[in-house]
Amino acid sequence: MDSFKDGLANFVATVTAGMLLSTGAMLMTVGAQQAKVTVQIESITEKLSALTDKMSDLETRVRSLEIKR
């Protein structure tokens, strides 16, 4: 009976270790994806900022044209 208990304990320990490794791998993957998303958000923010600046310039030009009329 002791050998059965030892075998079962080893099995449970092996399964638990495998689950922990899988969980760690998933967390690493999620972390990498979060880093990619962060970079994409920063890029989008920069592009929106540039677009806002361009729109402001266009608005200034339109107002200038309206004043000249």
Side-chain angles (χ1 to χ4, degrees), residues 2-68:
D2 284 336
S3 63
F4 173 74
K5 288 180 184 178
D6 290 342
L8 185 59
N10 286 336
F11 173 75
V12 169
T14 302
V15 170
T16 303
M19 291 170 62
L20 289 173
L21 287 172
S22 290
T23 302
M26 284 188 262
L27 288 173
M28 289 175 63
T29 301
V30 167
Q33 291 298 325
Q34 284 178 332
K36 289 179 185 176
V37 168
T38 299
V39 169
Q40 290 174 343
I41 288 172
E42 289 173 356
S43 174
I44 290 169
T45 302
E46 290 171 3
K47 289 176 183 176
L48 284 173
S49 178
L51 185 60
T52 301
D53 292 343
K54 289 178 182 177
M55 288 300 295
S56 178
D57 290 344
L58 285 174
E59 184 180 1
T60 302
R61 288 180 185 177
V62 167
R63 284 188 180 163
S64 174
L65 289 172
E66 288 175 351
I67 290 172
K68 288 181 182 178

